[in-house]
């Protein structure tokens, strides 16, 4: 099936066309990115027209058969991919208060695609959905219940499509049925999260109500004592809630600690003797290792630790910093194998390691295309 996968942001639109019937290596027909929506390009409809013109050249007479949309927030309602119609799209729009930066843009992308291809089945795949299986003791916050009831304040978790995809690839790689597979997944990209997977399902994850919680990220602080926020708001009149939000989401993390949110640069600087960069790496790796330890308990003993996304897949230097802290779990890895870069899923632990360590390239677009095909052909 020829499927267009769309990831609509507020000012950009990423897309990929995949042929799910083609051999693995030939599934991607084209990838693209349209930027400056809202400035150079007036709106998402105009961006879609530009994309459609480019697709026409590439597809050479072949017709798209379905569209899959990445949607950030499915709230408590959408726990599975869903076939889109006007009512479902409106429902996704209503969840905008939970993801004010992302859901409105996702909805614009969906409406523009319906406008352009009204006859095609379209599917939404949610970043939160994989975490819908978390038990209440993991998703509730210890705050007054009205805040949960009134505003939906609870842990949702994100990167679900990626966590789910690499969980399935990992189980297959080890020859374990996925519903018997216990793992800790570390999705380490510019955004980063860890997930506790038990029996192939998410039972806890480090991101929370928003993608700010948990690990130290490229520009996000990750976990922080909430009193820090009230203290700053009370003491510094030049900082209001919106500014604080920007500081924590865009000016913190590796960027604040080491002057760059690019892991490659931070590693290079540390190797050249920059102490700030080394501290940033130690803090970031320590936080990842601590979550892996906690989630190893949560899943009752992990069979595997999975590294994925930009840093997790590519930075042997960073994986080493994490893995060297996991001796107490009986983790042993092959130092040479750890430094190899490869597009293939692989095992980097030694035979006698108590827990397998896997490096698995994520592929959210493939997962979205497959979910889209499954619903579009139903
Ligand atoms: P993502 O958000 O998954 O695209 O990941 C982005 C992050 O991956 C950035 O911090 C990059 O610096 C990092 N990254 C990509 N390639 C490498 C590499 N070869 N070594 C270290 N970090 C990398």
């Amino acid at each position: 099936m020829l499927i267009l996968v769309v990831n609509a942001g507020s000012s950009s639109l990423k897309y990929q066309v995949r042929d799910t019937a083609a051999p693995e290596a030939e599934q991607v027909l084209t990838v693209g990115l349209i930027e400056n929506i809202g400035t150079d390009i007036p709106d998402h409809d105009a961006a879609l027209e530009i994309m459609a013109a480019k697709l026409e050249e590439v597809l050479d007479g072949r017709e798209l058969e379905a569209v899959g949309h990445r949607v950030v927030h499915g709230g408590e309602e959408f726990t599975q991919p869903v076939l889109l119609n006007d009512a479902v799209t409106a429902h996704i729009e209503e969840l905008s208060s939970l993801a004010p930066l992302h859901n409105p843009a996702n909805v614009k992308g969906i409406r523009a695609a319906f406008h352009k291809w009204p006859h095609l089945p379209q599917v939404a795949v949610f970043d939160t959905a994989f975490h819908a299986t978390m038990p209440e003791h993991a998703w509730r916050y210890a705050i007054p219940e009205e805040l949960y009831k009134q505003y939906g304040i609870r842990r949702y978790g994100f990167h679900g499509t990626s966590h789910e995809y690499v969980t399935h690839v990992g189980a297959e790689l080890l020859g374990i049925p996925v519903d018997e597979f216990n793992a800790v997944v570390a999705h380490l990209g510019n955004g980063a999260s860890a997930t506790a997977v038990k029996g192939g399902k998410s039972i806890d994850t480090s991101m929370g109500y928003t993608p700010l919680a948990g690990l130290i990220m490229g520009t996000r602080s990750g976990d922080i004592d909430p009193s820090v926020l009230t203290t700053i708001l009370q003491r510094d009149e030049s900082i209001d809630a919106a500014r604080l939000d920007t500081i924590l989401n865009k000016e913190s993390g590796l960027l604040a600690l080491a002057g760059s949110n690019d892991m490659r640069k931070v590693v290079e600087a540390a190797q050249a003797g920059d102490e700030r960069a080394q501290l940033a790496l130690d803090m970031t790796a320590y936080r990842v290792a601590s979550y892996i330890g906690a989630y190893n308990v949560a899943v009752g003993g992990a069979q595997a630790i999975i590294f994925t996304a930009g840093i997790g897949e590519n930075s042997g230097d960073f994986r080493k910093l994490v893995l060297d802290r996991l001796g107490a779990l009986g983790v042993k890895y092959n130092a040479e194998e750890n430094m190899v870069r490869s597009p293939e899923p692989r095992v980097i632990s030694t035979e006698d390691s108590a827990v397998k360590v896997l490096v698995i390239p994520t592929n959210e677009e493939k997962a979205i295309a497959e979910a889209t095909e499954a619903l579009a052909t139903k």
Side-chain angles (χ1 to χ4, degrees), residues 343-362:
E344 295 302 319
R346 63 195 207 279
V347 181
I348 60 168
S349 47
T350 56
E351 284 291 330
D352 60 341
S353 179
V355 186
K356 304 268 187 234
V357 180
L358 314 181
V359 178
I360 300 180
T362 193

Side-chain angles (χ1 to χ4, degrees), residues 225-237 239 244:
D225 179 347
S227 298
V228 171
L229 319 185
T230 42
T231 303
I232 293 171
L233 288 175
Q234 283 159 1
R235 300 237 177 111
D236 188 336
E237 282 175 10
I239 298 180
L244 196 53

